[in-house]
Amino acid sequence: MNLHQFKFVQEAVRRNLNLTEAAKALHTSQPGVSKAIIELEEELGVEIFARHGKRLKRVTEPGQHVIASIELIMREVGNLKRIGEQFSAQDSGTLSIATTHTQARYVLPVPVARLREAYPKVNVSLHQGSPDQVARMVIDEIAEIGIATESLDGYAELVTMPCYEWQHVLVLPKDHPLANKDRVSLEDLAHEPIITYHPSFTGRTRIDHAFAQKKLTPRIALEAIDSDVIKTYVRLGLGVGIVAEMAVRDDTNADLVVKPMGHIFGQNIARVAFKRSAYLRNFVFKFAELLSDRLDRNLIAKALSGQQQDYEL
């Protein structure tokens, strides 16, 4: 057996047992993938996949155990590569970060700039997506670190740690009736067209939960993943906006009124995620420390090794 066979099995599972898609992803031929998997099955003496003709239909019971072992082996192979990279080039390489638009736009610029100052030979690769996509990119080793508010703590394959707290804020045109109200209530918002995030982004679940608890139905006029887009449509008069506080923290345009909404929607926790048992290079630890003073190398290393459970703020 060899690593190519393991890669082919792994990719077949990732591509929902579609060998044609697996072959495309691995830049090889579909017959070659199929043959390699069959040869591995013959060597092991078990069927990893149940078939209907030439098509893979499902993973067999022994196949589930084989795939779990393959995942472990390939993770350790990735660790070996990173160890080699670290000791052959202590201060260079590529840091791959998976994150959401809000984090990439408003939170990461300063930590990335400071990392580049400390490690000028390190390239940074930003991969943006939904929180679920961020989690999958870390699990699939497309990225070494993931940063998001939603979903990251729902995957057993990930070690997650709280990074910082934030709250939602209301953004309004200066002439809006709510702009002069000291404390805006949920009932006030229920009468307004609301412009806010798509349901899977930037703490939107807390917004929906707050309305549901009061048995109110929000009038969602527009959903977006980009805070700047939300603010643009607020300026056009389409409704009141609910955005993350970091999206207005350095906003030099004073045409909007900003009101904190933590008393209604509570506090959100942005989290960082690493693949469990992963080997991290020095500059990955450094970047995590730059993200939050709650994180340090020893704490992260203990969590990755299983010596410490994931913790909350």
Side-chain angles (χ1 to χ4, degrees), residues 9 49 67 86 92 223 227 234 240 242 268 272 287 298 313:
V9 170
F49 302 104
I67 289 166
Q86 170 125 344
S92 64
E223 297 173 337
S227 303
V234 170
V240 300
I242 302 174
N268 298 273
V272 295
F287 182 69
N298 291 334
L313 286 169

Side-chain angles (χ1 to χ4, degrees), residues 108-119 286 290:
L108 298 190
V110 171
V112 167
R114 289 180 178 171
L115 180 77
R116 290 277 298 151
E117 288 176 6
Y119 291 90
K286 178 65 175 178
L290 289 169

Side-chain angles (χ1 to χ4, degrees), residues 17-61:
L17 309 188
N18 187 321
L19 291 184
T20 300
E21 292 299 319
K24 285 181 182 177
L26 294 167
H27 306 290
T28 188
S29 67
Q30 186 271 335
V33 173
S34 181
K35 181 182 178 183
I37 293 174
I38 291 171
E39 288 175 348
L40 178 60
E41 289 176 322
E42 290 175 348
E43 185 170 353
L44 294 174
V46 297
E47 286 189 343
I48 301 171
F49 302 104
R51 293 170 173 78
H52 181 72
K54 293 184 178 180
R55 293 181 179 273
L56 305 186
K57 299 301 291 181
R58 60 180 175 82
V59 178
T60 65
E61 184 177 351

Side-chain angles (χ1 to χ4, degrees), residues 6 9 24 125 128 143 177 198 225 246 254:
F6 297 161
V9 170
K24 285 181 182 177
S125 178
Q128 294 184 53
H198 185 273
I225 65 173
M246 48 275 200

Side-chain angles (χ1 to χ4, degrees), residues 46 51 57 140 152 201 203 232 267 311:
V46 297
R51 293 170 173 78
K57 299 301 291 181
D140 293 341
L152 291 187
F201 284 81
T232 295
Q267 295 294 312
Y311 66 95

